[in-house]
Amino acid sequence: MTNHHDAASEPQPQDLSAQDIQAVIDRILAKEEAATAKGAGRRSAEDGDAASSRRAGLASGKALAISELAEEHSEYDGEQRDLEERRALRRVGGLSTELEDVTEVEYRQLRLERVVLAGIWSEGKLEDAENSLHELAALAETAGSEVLDGVVQRRLKPDAGTFLGSGKAQELKDIVYTTGADTVIVDSELSPSQRRGLEDIVKVKVIDRTALILDIFAQHAKSREGKAQVELAQLEYLLPRLRGWGESMSRQAGGRVGAAGGGIGSRGPGETKIELDRRRIRTRMAKLRREIAGMKPARETKRANRKRNEVPSVAIAGYTNAGKSSLLNRLTDAGVLVQNALFATLDPTVRRAETADGLPYTLADTVGFVRSLPTQLIEAFRSTLEEVADADLVLHVVDASHPDPEGQIAAVREVFTEVDARKVPEIIVLNKADAADPYVLERLRQREPRHVVVSARTGLGIDELKKAISDAIPRPHVALTILVPYNRGDLLSRLHESSSEIRSLEHTADGTLAHVVVRDEFVAELEPFTVHE
């Protein structure tokens, strides 16, 4: 149950103890600081032994995991009408999460939740733990929340009952009370008992990283397949976390008699309401799996057409908010949605492109990845991620301006392994070079030998990237001289439509004499028309 302490409903000073008065003063000062220092982070460190914690200051404003570029779009991004539609329902502040006035009911879905973050530093450097918490802040802002504060605790492993230790959980409760937050977001996946135990202490809603990512996906999914995949992932996450509320979830009387029992009609083995809900969820999940499986043939048919025409495929993959959609717009003028937020685009987009010498290929934009990507999402979006596994080349886009680009690369390659895409040739695209530290760029250059440094916003390195794609995609290599009769114009048409290279054409009395370079798969079909010199 969320505790609210609005100014109009505060107790009178004579009813407050000195401790309560100080808590109110601290809360007011915290609100003023968040309003005047918007966009600036606040970090306070608690000194102590190795088991002590440090608080990652996360004031309201742009989180470090979100780029701070002055210009979000370029002329290649098009009109961005989808972005205007998304921002038309932007959440607003100043509204209570618990309605105090019936006139607020129409704004209930637009409320801006006020959240406090919590994480555990169990291994690695403290900087890594704080970077992870900053990324969680960016996720929370993308979901439509206002981040007020955050804590990181040094522990070897999470507490089995409350995730945080008892002392740190009590401190978290004090922070929630002081800042007036209504939600706590934990930078890990909580078990049902940990979530319930932490909620009992902090007295506000507690969600974990997985639920937050699923919420963002639910907001941004637009296609029928994307919505079905997100719903399936949410149900898989919800199923083991159902819990009862009082007697509404209790078992039926089961044979008891008298006033204490349910009487006639309620005797027997019975079934709890929570069991009914689980059965309904499993039924819905089975239906969604059938629907997603039914959408797969259409996608495979399109992919088979590209393979039959021997068109090379290039997949754009990488960490969320690394600039994949911006890069696709720069290379193909696709005009897909671009937003400085995590998981802005979920639905895959395929566009046609050509090399400088006229060889056609396809570019496919895929869903972004993140650290500890929920396994439910990987399973639900496996059909979408097949675009990466079946590609001839992967453009692995990396945000070179991020505090931990190496961590992003490792997280993406981990997902590549899960979808069997590690054998696909890979080019590291170091994006946002205009905002990156030159020393970081040089470090990444030394680490990744096959790389291209670009800026999708300014156009830096785009020509070099196009040349790298042209050199890396499979090309026709069998040179033939063929004489095609005039009644087989379909063969010439296929030569023009496929990735074959036509070096010369000459119209003779017997047909069209062509010097071409084709792939191995086309050689057998052209053998009857081959001219042996």
Side-chain angles (χ1 to χ4, degrees), residues 58 182 202 268 303 341 375 516 519:
L58 299 164
D182 49 54
V202 299
R303 193 179 299 133
T375 55
V516 297
R519 299 182 187 275

Side-chain angles (χ1 to χ4, degrees), residues 134-185:
H134 282 302
E135 182 177 273
L136 187 69
L139 289 169
E141 291 174 5
T142 302
S145 301
E146 179 185 3
V147 180
L148 304 177
D149 209 339
V151 295
V152 176
Q153 184 183 23
R154 175 62 163 165
R155 286 182 66 92
L156 294 178
K157 61 180 181 179
D159 183 81
T162 58
F163 185 75
L164 300 173
S166 56
K168 185 56 63 176
Q170 188 62 41
E171 180 184 340
L172 182 62
K173 177 184 177 181
D174 296 338
I175 294 174
V176 169
Y177 178 84
T178 302
T179 59
D182 49 54
T183 304
V184 170
I185 303 178

Side-chain angles (χ1 to χ4, degrees), residues 13 68 70 172 203 271 273 327 396 439 472 486 519:
E68 298 183 357
L172 182 62
K203 306 300 182 183
E271 185 177 21
K273 187 174 184 300
L327 189 63
H396 183 169
Y439 296 101
Y486 289 119
R519 299 182 187 275

Side-chain angles (χ1 to χ4, degrees), residues 35 103 151 256 349 356 496:
T103 59
V151 295
R256 291 177 297 169
T349 304
H496 282 285

Side-chain angles (χ1 to χ4, degrees), residues 69-110:
L69 298 176
E71 299 179 9
E72 187 174 358
H73 300 102
S74 68
E75 58 180 342
Y76 293 89
D77 293 326
E79 297 181 0
Q80 293 292 310
R81 293 179 179 176
D82 291 341
L83 185 59
E84 294 178 5
E85 179 183 350
R86 176 177 293 181
R87 287 177 172 172
L89 292 177
R90 178 182 294 176
R91 303 188 181 193
V92 297
L95 294 177
S96 171
T97 55
E98 293 294 333
L99 299 182
E100 298 174 358
D101 186 350
V102 71
T103 59
E104 293 183 9
V105 75
E106 59 182 302
Y107 302 108
R108 190 165 190 173
Q109 293 183 345
L110 297 179

Side-chain angles (χ1 to χ4, degrees), residues 261-291:
I264 298 174
S266 64
R267 286 183 281 268
E271 185 177 21
T272 61
K273 187 174 184 300
I274 197 169
E275 289 171 345
L276 288 171
D277 289 344
R278 283 173 179 160
R279 181 152 47 83
R280 290 183 183 130
I281 288 176
R282 290 191 185 98
T283 302
R284 178 62 180 165
M285 288 170 59
K287 182 180 179 182
L288 287 171
R289 287 193 180 99
R290 289 195 299 269
E291 289 180 359

